[in-house]
Amino acid sequence: MDWKPRAAALAEQVSYPGSGWWAALRETPRHLLVPRWLHPGPRGWSVVDGPADEEAWATAAYSDATLVTRVGDVHADHAGVGQVVTGLPTSSSTLPSLVVAMLRHGRLTAGLRLLDLATGSGYSAALACHRLGDDLVTTLDVDPYLTEAAAERLDRIGWHPTVVTADAGRSELPGVFDRIVSMVSVSRIPAAWLAALAPGGRLVTTLAGTGLIVTADKREDGGASGRVEWDRASFMVTRAGDDYPPGLDDLFTTACQEDGEVSSSPFPVLDVMRAWEVWSMLSLTAPGIEHRTGTADDGSRLTWMLHPDGSWARARTEPGDRHTTVHQGGPRRLYDLLEQIRWRWLEHGELPVYGAKVTITPDGETTLSRGGWTATL
Protein backbone atom coordinates (compact mmCIF):
# COMPACT_ATOMS: atom_id res chain seq x y z
CA MET A 1 0.00 0.00 0.00
CA ASP A 2 1.27 3.47 -0.89
CA TRP A 3 0.14 4.94 2.43
CA LYS A 4 2.37 8.00 2.74
CA PRO A 5 0.32 10.31 0.46
CA ARG A 6 -2.78 9.33 2.41
CA ALA A 7 -1.09 10.03 5.75
CA ALA A 8 0.08 13.38 4.38
CA ALA A 9 -3.50 14.22 3.39
CA LEU A 10 -4.68 13.27 6.89
CA ALA A 11 -2.04 15.57 8.39
CA GLU A 12 -3.28 18.39 6.13
CA GLN A 13 -6.79 17.79 7.40
CA VAL A 14 -6.15 17.70 11.14
CA SER A 15 -2.92 19.67 11.61
CA TYR A 16 -0.70 22.24 9.88
CA PRO A 17 2.96 22.71 8.89
CA GLY A 18 5.00 23.81 11.86
CA SER A 19 2.82 21.98 14.37
CA GLY A 20 4.60 19.55 16.63
CA TRP A 21 2.19 16.88 15.43
CA TRP A 22 2.58 17.49 11.69
CA ALA A 23 5.45 15.05 11.15
CA ALA A 24 3.99 12.44 13.51
CA LEU A 25 0.74 12.34 11.54
CA ARG A 26 2.53 12.16 8.19
CA GLU A 27 4.92 9.41 9.26
CA THR A 28 2.68 7.06 11.26
CA PRO A 29 1.24 4.11 9.27
CA ARG A 30 -2.11 3.97 11.02
CA HIS A 31 -3.31 1.11 8.81
CA LEU A 32 -0.73 -1.23 10.34
CA LEU A 33 -2.17 -0.52 13.78
CA VAL A 34 -5.77 -1.20 12.67
CA PRO A 35 -5.75 -4.20 10.30
CA ARG A 36 -9.37 -5.08 11.14
CA TRP A 37 -12.30 -3.12 12.53
CA LEU A 38 -16.03 -3.50 13.11
CA HIS A 39 -18.61 -1.66 11.02
CA PRO A 40 -22.17 -0.99 12.24
CA GLY A 41 -25.15 -2.38 10.34
CA PRO A 42 -28.90 -2.81 10.86
CA ARG A 43 -28.47 -6.12 12.74
CA GLY A 44 -25.21 -5.40 14.53
CA TRP A 45 -21.51 -5.02 13.84
CA SER A 46 -19.60 -6.91 11.15
CA VAL A 47 -15.85 -7.20 10.69
CA VAL A 48 -13.94 -5.47 7.90
CA ASP A 49 -10.63 -7.14 7.05
CA GLY A 50 -8.22 -4.51 5.76
CA PRO A 51 -5.73 -6.70 3.87
CA ALA A 52 -8.63 -8.30 1.97
CA ASP A 53 -9.52 -4.89 0.45
CA GLU A 54 -6.56 -2.52 0.49
CA GLU A 55 -8.51 0.40 -0.98
CA ALA A 56 -11.15 0.23 1.77
CA TRP A 57 -8.39 -0.27 4.33
CA ALA A 58 -6.46 2.80 3.19
CA THR A 59 -9.60 4.93 2.97
CA ALA A 60 -10.71 3.99 6.50
CA ALA A 61 -7.30 4.17 8.15
CA TYR A 62 -6.45 7.61 6.78
CA SER A 63 -9.86 9.18 7.31
CA ASP A 64 -10.41 11.39 10.32
CA ALA A 65 -12.79 8.81 11.75
CA THR A 66 -13.02 6.45 14.70
CA LEU A 67 -12.61 2.77 13.85
CA VAL A 68 -14.27 0.47 16.38
CA THR A 69 -11.98 -2.48 17.16
CA ARG A 70 -13.93 -4.25 19.91
CA VAL A 71 -17.65 -4.66 20.62
CA GLY A 72 -18.68 -6.26 23.89
CA ASP A 73 -15.99 -8.85 24.52
CA VAL A 74 -15.32 -9.55 20.81
CA HIS A 75 -12.16 -8.16 19.22
CA ALA A 76 -12.24 -7.36 15.53
CA ASP A 77 -9.10 -9.47 15.20
CA HIS A 78 -11.05 -12.50 16.45
CA ALA A 79 -14.42 -11.97 14.73
CA GLY A 80 -15.26 -14.33 11.89
CA VAL A 81 -16.07 -13.08 8.42
CA GLY A 82 -19.85 -12.75 8.22
CA GLN A 83 -20.24 -12.88 12.00
CA VAL A 84 -22.66 -10.30 13.40
CA VAL A 85 -21.55 -8.90 16.76
CA THR A 86 -24.02 -7.11 19.03
CA GLY A 87 -23.33 -4.83 21.95
CA LEU A 88 -21.60 -1.58 22.76
CA PRO A 89 -18.16 -0.60 21.49
CA THR A 90 -15.50 -1.31 24.13
CA SER A 91 -12.37 -0.23 22.27
CA SER A 92 -11.50 1.76 19.17
CA SER A 93 -8.89 3.65 17.27
CA THR A 94 -10.10 7.17 18.01
CA LEU A 95 -10.37 9.72 15.21
CA PRO A 96 -6.92 11.27 14.73
CA SER A 97 -8.05 14.89 15.18
CA LEU A 98 -9.36 14.09 18.66
CA VAL A 99 -6.22 12.13 19.60
CA VAL A 100 -4.12 15.12 18.59
CA ALA A 101 -6.45 17.53 20.43
CA MET A 102 -6.10 15.57 23.68
CA LEU A 103 -2.31 15.38 23.31
CA ARG A 104 -2.16 19.12 22.59
CA HIS A 105 -4.05 19.79 25.80
CA GLY A 106 -1.27 17.85 27.52
CA ARG A 107 1.24 20.55 26.46
CA LEU A 108 3.91 17.99 25.69
CA THR A 109 7.48 19.23 25.38
CA ALA A 110 10.83 17.49 25.09
CA GLY A 111 11.94 15.51 28.14
CA LEU A 112 8.48 15.04 29.67
CA ARG A 113 7.33 11.59 30.80
CA LEU A 114 3.89 10.75 29.39
CA LEU A 115 1.32 8.19 30.47
CA ASP A 116 -1.09 7.47 27.61
CA LEU A 117 -4.19 5.93 29.20
CA ALA A 118 -6.20 3.50 27.03
CA THR A 119 -3.76 2.01 24.55
CA GLY A 120 -6.45 0.82 22.13
CA SER A 121 -4.84 0.35 18.72
CA GLY A 122 -1.65 2.09 19.84
CA TYR A 123 -2.12 5.09 17.55
CA SER A 124 -1.96 7.74 20.28
CA ALA A 125 1.15 6.06 21.70
CA ALA A 126 2.74 6.06 18.23
CA LEU A 127 2.15 9.80 17.79
CA ALA A 128 3.49 10.47 21.29
CA CYS A 129 6.60 8.35 20.67
CA HIS A 130 7.31 10.34 17.52
CA ARG A 131 7.08 13.57 19.52
CA LEU A 132 8.83 12.58 22.76
CA GLY A 133 10.81 9.43 22.02
CA ASP A 134 9.59 6.01 23.07
CA ASP A 135 11.71 5.92 26.25
CA LEU A 136 9.48 8.66 27.71
CA VAL A 137 6.11 7.11 26.76
CA THR A 138 4.14 4.58 28.79
CA THR A 139 0.81 3.34 27.46
CA LEU A 140 -1.72 1.40 29.53
CA ASP A 141 -4.92 -0.54 28.87
CA VAL A 142 -7.12 -2.89 30.90
CA ASP A 143 -7.33 -5.43 28.06
CA PRO A 144 -4.35 -7.83 27.84
CA TYR A 145 -5.00 -8.68 24.20
CA LEU A 146 -5.05 -5.01 23.21
CA THR A 147 -1.75 -4.29 24.97
CA GLU A 148 -0.13 -7.37 23.46
CA ALA A 149 -1.34 -6.60 19.93
CA ALA A 150 -0.47 -2.91 20.20
CA ALA A 151 3.02 -3.66 21.49
CA GLU A 152 3.68 -6.02 18.57
CA ARG A 153 2.35 -3.55 16.00
CA LEU A 154 4.20 -0.60 17.50
CA ASP A 155 7.38 -2.66 17.44
CA ARG A 156 6.74 -3.41 13.76
CA ILE A 157 6.69 0.32 12.93
CA GLY A 158 9.75 1.07 15.03
CA TRP A 159 8.38 2.26 18.38
CA HIS A 160 8.96 0.60 21.74
CA PRO A 161 7.10 2.44 24.51
CA THR A 162 6.51 0.78 27.87
CA VAL A 163 3.21 -1.09 27.49
CA VAL A 164 1.31 -1.99 30.66
CA THR A 165 -1.84 -4.04 31.29
CA ALA A 166 -3.71 -2.62 34.29
CA ASP A 167 -7.01 -1.13 35.41
CA ALA A 168 -6.32 2.60 35.43
CA GLY A 169 -9.44 3.29 37.47
CA ARG A 170 -8.64 0.91 40.31
CA SER A 171 -4.89 0.27 40.34
CA GLU A 172 -1.80 2.24 41.23
CA LEU A 173 -0.21 3.62 38.09
CA PRO A 174 3.16 2.24 36.98
CA GLY A 175 5.48 5.12 37.77
CA VAL A 176 5.59 8.89 38.06
CA PHE A 177 4.68 11.03 35.07
CA ASP A 178 4.84 14.67 34.03
CA ARG A 179 1.75 14.27 31.87
CA ILE A 180 -1.22 11.91 32.04
CA VAL A 181 -3.50 12.02 28.99
CA SER A 182 -6.54 9.76 29.12
CA MET A 183 -8.34 8.51 26.03
CA VAL A 184 -11.12 7.09 28.22
CA SER A 185 -13.55 9.00 30.41
CA VAL A 186 -13.95 8.80 34.18
CA SER A 187 -16.79 9.68 36.53
CA ARG A 188 -14.29 11.25 38.94
CA ILE A 189 -10.52 11.65 38.92
CA PRO A 190 -8.91 8.58 40.55
CA ALA A 191 -6.66 9.48 43.48
CA ALA A 192 -4.05 7.13 41.97
CA TRP A 193 -3.72 9.48 38.98
CA LEU A 194 -2.85 12.39 41.24
CA ALA A 195 -0.40 10.25 43.20
CA ALA A 196 1.37 9.30 39.95
CA LEU A 197 1.54 12.88 38.69
CA ALA A 198 4.86 14.65 39.27
CA PRO A 199 4.85 18.03 41.05
CA GLY A 200 3.55 20.59 38.59
CA GLY A 201 2.43 17.78 36.27
CA ARG A 202 -0.65 18.02 34.09
CA LEU A 203 -3.54 15.64 33.52
CA VAL A 204 -6.05 15.63 30.68
CA THR A 205 -9.23 13.57 30.64
CA THR A 206 -12.92 13.63 29.82
CA LEU A 207 -15.79 13.17 32.27
CA ALA A 208 -18.08 10.18 31.86
CA GLY A 209 -21.46 10.90 30.32
CA THR A 210 -20.43 14.35 29.16
CA GLY A 211 -18.62 16.13 26.35
CA LEU A 212 -16.27 17.87 28.80
CA ILE A 213 -12.47 17.88 28.59
CA VAL A 214 -10.81 18.57 31.95
CA THR A 215 -7.24 19.84 32.16
CA ALA A 216 -5.60 20.31 35.55
CA ASP A 217 -2.12 20.98 36.93
CA LYS A 218 -0.92 19.40 40.16
CA ARG A 219 -0.69 21.64 43.22
CA GLU A 220 1.77 21.42 46.12
CA ASP A 221 -0.93 19.88 48.38
CA GLY A 222 -1.30 16.89 46.04
CA GLY A 223 -4.54 18.06 44.45
CA ALA A 224 -4.89 19.79 41.09
CA SER A 225 -6.51 22.89 39.61
CA GLY A 226 -7.58 23.66 36.08
CA ARG A 227 -10.62 24.14 33.92
CA VAL A 228 -13.10 22.59 31.53
CA GLU A 229 -11.79 23.38 28.05
CA TRP A 230 -13.98 25.14 25.50
CA ASP A 231 -13.68 22.41 22.90
CA ARG A 232 -15.55 19.14 23.37
CA ALA A 233 -14.90 15.43 23.34
CA SER A 234 -16.50 12.20 24.45
CA PHE A 235 -14.80 8.86 25.04
CA MET A 236 -15.79 5.41 26.21
CA VAL A 237 -15.94 5.05 29.99
CA THR A 238 -13.27 3.14 31.91
CA ARG A 239 -14.25 -0.47 32.53
CA ALA A 240 -12.96 -3.17 34.85
CA GLY A 241 -14.22 -6.28 33.04
CA ASP A 242 -14.57 -7.60 29.50
CA ASP A 243 -17.73 -5.57 28.88
CA TYR A 244 -19.82 -2.79 30.36
CA PRO A 245 -22.62 -3.66 32.79
CA PRO A 246 -25.98 -4.23 31.07
CA GLY A 247 -28.04 -1.15 30.28
CA LEU A 248 -31.42 -0.30 31.71
CA ASP A 249 -33.45 -2.46 29.30
CA ASP A 250 -36.04 -3.53 31.88
CA LEU A 251 -36.63 0.07 32.90
CA PHE A 252 -36.89 1.01 29.22
CA THR A 253 -39.73 -1.51 28.87
CA THR A 254 -41.47 0.17 31.81
CA ALA A 255 -40.94 3.60 30.28
CA CYS A 256 -42.50 2.41 27.01
CA GLN A 257 -45.61 0.90 28.61
CA GLU A 258 -46.61 2.90 31.70
CA ASP A 259 -48.43 6.23 31.74
CA GLY A 260 -46.90 7.57 34.94
CA GLU A 261 -47.37 11.27 35.63
CA VAL A 262 -48.47 13.09 32.46
CA SER A 263 -47.60 16.69 31.61
CA SER A 264 -46.97 18.95 28.62
CA SER A 265 -43.82 20.79 27.58
CA PRO A 266 -43.60 23.89 25.36
CA PHE A 267 -40.39 22.56 23.81
CA PRO A 268 -40.14 19.93 21.06
CA VAL A 269 -38.37 16.65 21.78
CA LEU A 270 -34.61 17.12 21.93
CA ASP A 271 -31.96 14.55 21.02
CA VAL A 272 -30.08 15.35 24.21
CA MET A 273 -26.82 13.64 23.31
CA ARG A 274 -26.42 15.86 20.25
CA ALA A 275 -26.84 18.99 22.37
CA TRP A 276 -23.47 18.84 24.08
CA GLU A 277 -23.97 21.60 26.66
CA VAL A 278 -27.39 20.31 27.69
CA TRP A 279 -26.26 16.68 27.73
CA SER A 280 -23.21 17.48 29.86
CA MET A 281 -25.18 19.61 32.33
CA LEU A 282 -27.88 16.96 32.70
CA SER A 283 -25.31 14.20 33.23
CA LEU A 284 -23.67 16.20 36.01
CA THR A 285 -27.10 16.78 37.57
CA ALA A 286 -28.19 13.13 37.32
CA PRO A 287 -25.04 10.97 36.89
CA GLY A 288 -25.74 7.63 35.24
CA ILE A 289 -28.67 8.84 33.13
CA GLU A 290 -29.27 7.03 29.83
CA HIS A 291 -30.95 8.42 26.70
CA ARG A 292 -32.74 6.69 23.83
CA THR A 293 -34.47 8.23 20.84
CA GLY A 294 -36.75 7.03 18.08
CA THR A 295 -39.36 7.90 15.49
CA ALA A 296 -42.93 6.56 15.55
CA ASP A 297 -44.72 5.23 12.47
CA ASP A 298 -46.58 8.52 12.12
CA GLY A 299 -43.33 10.51 12.20
CA SER A 300 -43.60 11.59 15.84
CA ARG A 301 -40.27 12.21 17.53
CA LEU A 302 -39.72 10.14 20.68
CA THR A 303 -37.21 10.23 23.49
CA TRP A 304 -36.72 8.25 26.68
CA MET A 305 -34.65 9.07 29.77
CA LEU A 306 -33.68 6.32 32.21
CA HIS A 307 -31.79 6.34 35.50
CA PRO A 308 -30.40 3.53 37.69
CA ASP A 309 -32.50 4.78 40.63
CA GLY A 310 -35.65 3.68 38.72
CA SER A 311 -36.65 7.08 37.40
CA TRP A 312 -37.84 7.25 33.80
CA ALA A 313 -39.37 9.69 31.34
CA ARG A 314 -40.94 9.36 27.89
CA ALA A 315 -41.71 12.29 25.60
CA ARG A 316 -43.39 12.60 22.21
CA THR A 317 -43.68 15.46 19.74
CA GLU A 318 -46.15 14.83 16.93
CA PRO A 319 -45.47 15.93 13.33
CA GLY A 320 -46.13 19.63 12.76
CA ASP A 321 -46.46 20.28 16.49
CA ARG A 322 -44.18 22.17 18.84
CA HIS A 323 -45.38 21.07 22.27
CA THR A 324 -44.51 17.70 23.75
CA THR A 325 -46.47 15.19 25.81
CA VAL A 326 -44.37 13.89 28.70
CA HIS A 327 -44.82 10.77 30.87
CA GLN A 328 -42.63 10.34 33.97
CA GLY A 329 -42.26 7.86 36.82
CA GLY A 330 -39.93 6.76 39.59
CA PRO A 331 -38.42 8.76 42.46
CA ARG A 332 -37.24 11.69 40.31
CA ARG A 333 -38.76 13.67 37.45
CA LEU A 334 -35.98 13.43 34.89
CA TYR A 335 -37.76 15.45 32.24
CA ASP A 336 -38.29 18.27 34.73
CA LEU A 337 -34.51 18.39 35.23
CA LEU A 338 -34.06 18.66 31.48
CA GLU A 339 -36.65 21.45 31.26
CA GLN A 340 -34.89 23.44 33.98
CA ILE A 341 -31.64 23.21 32.06
CA ARG A 342 -33.28 24.25 28.78
CA TRP A 343 -34.91 27.27 30.44
CA ARG A 344 -31.56 28.25 31.94
CA TRP A 345 -29.96 28.06 28.53
CA LEU A 346 -32.70 30.28 27.01
CA GLU A 347 -32.39 32.82 29.81
CA HIS A 348 -28.58 33.08 29.77
CA GLY A 349 -27.70 32.09 26.21
CA GLU A 350 -25.29 29.44 27.50
CA LEU A 351 -24.78 26.88 30.24
CA PRO A 352 -21.90 27.13 32.75
CA VAL A 353 -20.27 23.77 32.05
CA TYR A 354 -17.77 24.82 29.37
CA GLY A 355 -15.07 27.09 30.74
CA ALA A 356 -15.82 26.06 34.32
CA LYS A 357 -13.08 26.19 36.93
CA VAL A 358 -11.98 22.72 38.11
CA THR A 359 -10.67 21.98 41.59
CA ILE A 360 -9.54 18.46 42.50
CA THR A 361 -8.67 17.37 46.04
CA PRO A 362 -5.83 14.89 46.65
CA ASP A 363 -8.38 12.06 47.00
CA GLY A 364 -9.94 12.88 43.62
CA GLU A 365 -13.07 14.80 44.64
CA THR A 366 -13.67 17.11 41.70
CA THR A 367 -15.66 20.34 41.78
CA LEU A 368 -16.70 22.37 38.74
CA SER A 369 -17.77 26.00 39.21
CA ARG A 370 -18.68 28.99 37.08
CA GLY A 371 -20.94 32.00 37.49
CA GLY A 372 -22.40 30.89 40.83
CA TRP A 373 -22.99 27.31 39.63
CA THR A 374 -21.14 24.38 41.19
CA ALA A 375 -21.18 20.61 40.77
CA THR A 376 -19.12 18.12 42.74
CA LEU A 377 -18.40 14.69 41.29
Side-chain angles (χ1 to χ4, degrees):
M1 179 194 297
D2 186 13
W3 61 271
K4 289 192 174 182
R6 294 177 182 267
L10 177 62
E12 288 274 1
Q13 183 179 357
V14 305
S15 188
Y16 53 90
S19 162
W21 299 106
W22 174 257
L25 288 160
R26 291 172 63 92
E27 296 172 18
T28 299
R30 189 186 184 209
H31 70 288
L32 295 180
L33 300 173
V34 195
R36 299 179 116 218
W37 64 98
L38 291 154
H39 184 74
R43 296 190 299 117
W45 300 79
S46 57
V47 69
V48 182
D49 183 65
D53 185 343
E54 284 203 349
E55 181 60 30
W57 190 15
T59 298
Y62 297 100
S63 296
D64 189 27
T66 293
L67 301 178
V68 172
T69 54
R70 191 177 188 270
V71 170
D73 60 357
V74 179
H75 292 278
D77 291 348
H78 302 153
V81 175
Q83 177 183 355
V84 175
V85 182
T86 58
L88 295 174
T90 47
S91 189
S92 68
S93 180
T94 301
L95 66 160
S97 61
L98 181 51
V99 171
V100 169
M102 295 296 285
L103 292 171
R104 280 177 177 151
H105 282 304
R107 298 180 180 173
L108 305 184
T109 56
L112 294 179
R113 299 160 294 178
L114 169 70
L115 177 61
D116 165 53
L117 287 176
T119 304
S121 69
Y123 185 67
S124 55
L127 296 182
C129 286
H130 195 286
R131 182 73 182 272
L132 298 174
D134 50 15
D135 58 324
L136 292 174
V137 177
T138 298
T139 184
L140 179 152
D141 204 291
V142 71
D143 187 321
Y145 176 74
L146 287 176
T147 52
E148 178 185 1
E152 291 177 356
R153 291 163 185 167
L154 286 165
D155 177 74
R156 202 176 305 154
I157 65 174
W159 295 121
H160 311 92
T162 300
V163 183
V164 177
T165 304
D167 181 350
R170 299 170 184 245
S171 307
E172 291 186 3
L173 298 183
V176 176
F177 306 93
D178 303 296
R179 300 290 188 267
I180 297 175
V181 178
S182 177
M183 304 292 175
V184 291
S185 65
V186 291
S187 55
R188 72 194 303 267
I189 309 299
W193 293 17
L194 294 167
L197 201 59
R202 183 175 180 85
L203 66 85
V204 182
T205 189
T206 53
L207 299 180
T210 77
L212 307 180
I213 302 171
V214 168
T215 60
D217 301 315
K218 190 169 182 178
R219 302 188 305 264
E220 290 184 0
D221 68 357
S225 298
R227 70 172 188 174
V228 174
E229 298 293 338
W230 287 98
D231 53 333
R232 61 193 190 184
S234 180
F235 284 92
M236 298 173 192
V237 182
T238 52
R239 57 182 172 82
D242 283 339
D243 200 352
Y244 295 115
L248 301 173
D249 290 345
D250 290 342
L251 185 59
F252 178 58
T253 300
T254 298
C256 288
Q257 296 175 349
E258 294 192 4
D259 285 338
E261 181 181 295
V262 184
S263 60
S264 180
S265 166
F267 300 126
V269 158
L270 175 70
D271 186 347
V272 173
M273 294 186 69
R274 293 181 180 273
W276 289 70
E277 276 187 294
V278 175
W279 171 48
S280 299
M281 187 91 168
L282 183 58
S283 292
L284 293 173
T285 305
I289 194 169
E290 291 185 14
H291 302 276
R292 306 189 188 190
T293 60
T295 304
D297 291 340
D298 66 357
S300 294
R301 296 170 57 195
L302 302 167
T303 191
W304 295 264
M305 300 163 63
L306 314 168
H307 194 274
D309 69 5
S311 301
W312 58 269
R314 178 178 78 251
R316 179 182 187 125
T317 302
E318 296 184 359
D321 208 343
R322 290 296 181 96
H323 80 277
T324 296
T325 301
V326 180
H327 300 257
Q328 301 187 81
R332 285 196 281 187
R333 296 295 173 260
L334 299 178
Y335 211 86
D336 290 357
L337 297 178
L338 173 62
E339 297 287 88
Q340 292 166 15
I341 291 169
R342 294 177 80 173
W343 277 116
R344 179 170 186 153
W345 183 85
L346 286 173
E347 290 168 353
H348 297 277
E350 66 169 2
L351 294 171
V353 284
Y354 286 97
K357 177 182 177 182
V358 175
T359 304
I360 309 169
T361 65
D363 67 356
E365 182 178 273
T366 302
T367 299
L368 280 57
S369 60
R370 181 169 173 249
W373 169 84
T374 63
T376 298
L377 310 182

